[in-house]
Amino acid sequence: MSTDVVILAAGQGSRMRSRLPKVLHPIAGKPMVRHVIEAAESLEEARLHVVVGHGADRVRESLSDVSANFVMQEEQRGTGDAVARTLDALGDGPVLVLYGDVPLIQPDTLAALMEGVDAHHMALLTVRMAHPHGYGRIVRDEQGRATAIVEEKDASEAQKRIQECNTGILAATGAHLKRWLPQLSSDNAQGEYYLTDIIAMAAAEEVEVLTREPHGHYEVQGVNDRVQLSALERIHQHHQAQRLMREGATLADPGRIEVRGELSVGRDVFIDVGCVFEGTVSLADGVVVGAYSVIRDAHIGEDTTIEAHTLIEGAEIAGAGQIGPFARLRPGTRLARGARIGNFVETKNARIGEGSKINHLSYIGDSELGRDVNIGAGTITCNYDGVSKHRTEIGDGVFVGSNSALVAPLRIGRGATIAAGSTITDTVDDDSLAIGRSRQTQKSDWVPPHRR
């Protein structure tokens, strides 16, 4: 049976002090609401309904790739009113209500919450807190059944001492919600339509309220300001670090790693401090990542060493590579086994053959290098003519002397040598020496300007 999932994402988040809608503020480089959506999509046959309001266009644009029904709540009049806006789109089966600013809810918690929701049962996620100030309290009868939720501002002194709190996350059938939500009243301290009032309606109709608790409080912590956002970021990163260590990685400092996407690791991986991983990254067995490196959407083959302060984006490294320090591998870079990229080298859309080396201060773009090529310091491929990009092809065993300019389109044959300081514009034959520089001249009567 399909499950309708209603995600409330209409709030302004004024305490964030930002022009960005609150639910779009990121955790691990991804909008909070997207974390919630991914958890919801773990449920079988989930149908998403996102209630938007403040910054609705930006929220829709950010989630343009998500298959969801977007519903407008122009005036924020409480959670009950927000869910009521979706009633016409809901079926009569199970409905789960989530919040776009509660980003760390876990799929297994949602699966457990949905168990048993039917015509005679609804479900509520609760949490026990030593200091529950500000939270709605769960009121139970003599048999221990949940019968109501009382908000802090409406609670009596006795009710304020209750430590079991409402998280706002609940599930009921669409048939029940279609009957209960139109009966909500705004006669309360906030003047809002509380979704939580349906608990008392369920109890009055003898619909049992099943309660579940999350594995940790962090799953139900919402974000109202940047301090809370930062706290959840650290919790999320802590969990990522623990996962990586269990999967075979050694982290020099588990508190100084940032995973902003999907990072997979093999055995005996070592990650030094301050490294950032974005998008989809895989590190094979034996990879070493030096301090303060940034790796984005890349595969790093086994036994590769990445020295400190290296930026890799959209690249593939076959294995046994040596990269950095202070290197930049841009999208389209492909390194064969044993290739080496040294300090202050930049590559883009370049295939570097097995055993080839670019060790210092060079730019290699739109190029294909064969095996065992040596690129001298200060070499650049001049791949852009102001309108179009052109390719440079360098054969096996080529030696390019320092400070050379290779003007594309260009082919350098197998085993050729390029003299240092050359500007090469024409094809170089196999096993030949190319010299592209003027003959040195000297003026013995030269007087420098400062002596004139």
Side-chain angles (χ1 to χ4, degrees):
M1 179 184 295
S2 63
T3 299
D4 285 299
V5 182
V6 178
I7 300 174
L8 306 188
Q12 179 177 0
S14 58
R15 280 179 279 176
M16 300 295 291
R17 299 190 62 80
S18 173
R19 290 173 293 180
L20 187 69
K22 179 169 70 169
V23 297
L24 296 187
H25 282 265
I27 294 285
K30 184 163 53 181
M32 288 192 286
V33 67
R34 193 170 284 272
H35 286 270
V36 180
I37 287 172
E38 290 178 358
E41 288 176 336
S42 68
L43 298 172
E44 187 175 354
E45 295 186 50
R47 297 189 304 179
L48 302 181
H49 309 269
V50 181
V51 180
V52 295
H54 178 75
D57 290 342
R58 295 189 68 175
V59 175
R60 288 192 188 98
E61 181 181 359
S62 175
L63 303 178
S64 60
D65 61 323
V66 174
S67 178
N69 169 40
F70 290 91
V71 179
M72 187 68 181
Q73 185 191 25
E74 295 182 357
E75 182 181 356
Q76 280 72 65
R77 300 192 300 169
T79 53
D81 177 69
V83 177
R85 302 302 178 105
T86 69
L87 288 180
D88 290 343
L90 300 181
D92 290 337
V95 178
L96 171 65
V97 179
L98 300 175
Y99 298 82
D101 60 355
V102 182
L104 301 189
I105 188 68
Q106 298 300 302
D108 55 349
T109 296
L110 297 183
L113 183 68
M114 297 306 297
E115 290 180 4
V117 174
D118 56 27
H120 305 290
H121 302 84
M122 65 168 294
L124 178 66
L125 195 64
T126 69
V127 62
R128 297 183 184 275
M129 307 182 71
H131 304 287
H133 178 74
Y135 287 83
R137 309 304 204 277
I138 308 300
V139 178
R140 295 182 180 270
D141 62 16
E142 294 82 359
Q143 286 76 42
R145 296 173 297 189
T147 58
I149 298 175
V150 180
E151 298 297 329
E152 171 88 19
K153 292 184 178 181
D154 302 309
S156 66
E157 290 303 316
Q159 290 170 335
K160 289 180 180 179
R161 290 193 288 271
I162 296 173
Q163 293 184 317
E164 186 181 14
C165 300
N166 171 44
T167 68
I169 296 174
L170 56 80
T173 66
H176 284 146
L177 292 177
K178 291 172 184 178
R179 187 170 65 257
W180 293 337
L181 292 182
Q183 301 177 45
L184 293 178
S185 168
S186 60
D187 185 16
N188 51 60
Q190 292 288 87
E192 295 183 349
Y193 295 92
Y194 293 150
L195 178 63
T196 50
D197 287 349
I198 69 173
I199 303 302
M201 296 179 185
E205 294 185 12
E206 296 186 350
V207 173
E208 185 178 356
V209 180
L210 308 173
T211 57
R212 302 283 188 267
E213 293 191 28
H215 297 296
H217 287 188
Y218 66 88
E219 288 192 55
V220 295
Q221 288 180 12
V223 172
N224 291 308
D225 57 33
R226 296 176 191 263
V227 174
Q228 293 174 337
L229 182 72
S230 176
L232 290 189
E233 177 75 47
R234 299 289 18 108
I235 291 171
H236 178 79
Q237 295 298 341
H238 173 70
H239 292 160
Q240 291 293 312
Q242 288 185 319
R243 174 185 66 83
L244 293 171
M245 291 186 288
R246 285 193 293 266
E247 291 176 358
T250 295
L251 307 183
D253 184 348
R256 287 193 284 171
I257 181 175
E258 295 287 324
V259 179
R260 302 171 186 167
E262 300 176 10
L263 173 60
S264 60
V265 296
R267 298 169 297 177
D268 301 316
V269 167
F270 176 80
I271 301 172
D272 212 331
V273 299
C275 293
V276 178
F277 301 91
E278 300 179 344
T280 302
V281 177
S282 60
L283 307 178
D285 294 354
V287 168
V288 174
V289 182
Y292 304 105
S293 292
V294 178
I295 303 178
R296 181 182 302 127
D297 291 318
H299 169 73
I300 313 299
E302 62 182 11
D303 298 322
T304 293
T305 297
I306 299 168
E307 300 288 357
H309 298 279
T310 292
L311 171 59
I312 299 175
E313 178 180 8
E316 293 184 10
I317 301 170
Q322 184 83 23
I323 317 297
F326 297 99
R328 183 185 182 193
L329 275 57
R330 293 169 59 190
T333 296
R334 303 289 182 266
L335 268 59
R337 188 169 183 82
R340 297 180 61 177
I341 303 293
N343 52 286
F344 303 104
V345 171
E346 179 179 350
T347 64
K348 180 192 72 69
N349 195 23
R351 294 181 177 271
I352 314 299
E354 185 172 342
S356 291
K357 300 180 291 184
I358 313 170
N359 280 334
H360 323 280
L361 304 158
S362 297
Y363 170 71
I364 302 296
D366 296 299
S367 301
E368 183 156 357
L369 280 61
R371 298 166 55 98
D372 300 317
V373 172
N374 185 89
I375 302 294
T379 296
I380 62 170
T381 54
C382 308
N383 58 323
Y384 183 52
D385 62 9
V387 177
S388 303
K389 298 289 183 69
H390 303 281
R391 292 193 65 79
T392 299
E393 298 180 11
I394 301 176
D396 295 346
V398 167
F399 181 94
V400 178
S402 298
N403 200 33
S404 294
L406 310 179
V407 183
L410 181 66
R411 178 186 176 277
I412 300 176
R414 176 178 51 81
T417 298
I418 307 300
S422 292
T423 297
I424 304 298
T425 59
D426 296 322
T427 297
V428 178
D429 295 334
D430 293 354
D431 300 312
S432 62
L433 169 65
I435 305 172
R437 60 193 185 208
S438 63
R439 182 179 299 276
Q440 180 174 323
T441 61
Q442 181 173 308
K443 295 181 65 175
S444 59
D445 58 349
W446 167 250
V447 179
H450 68 278
R451 295 181 182 176
R452 294 173 186 172

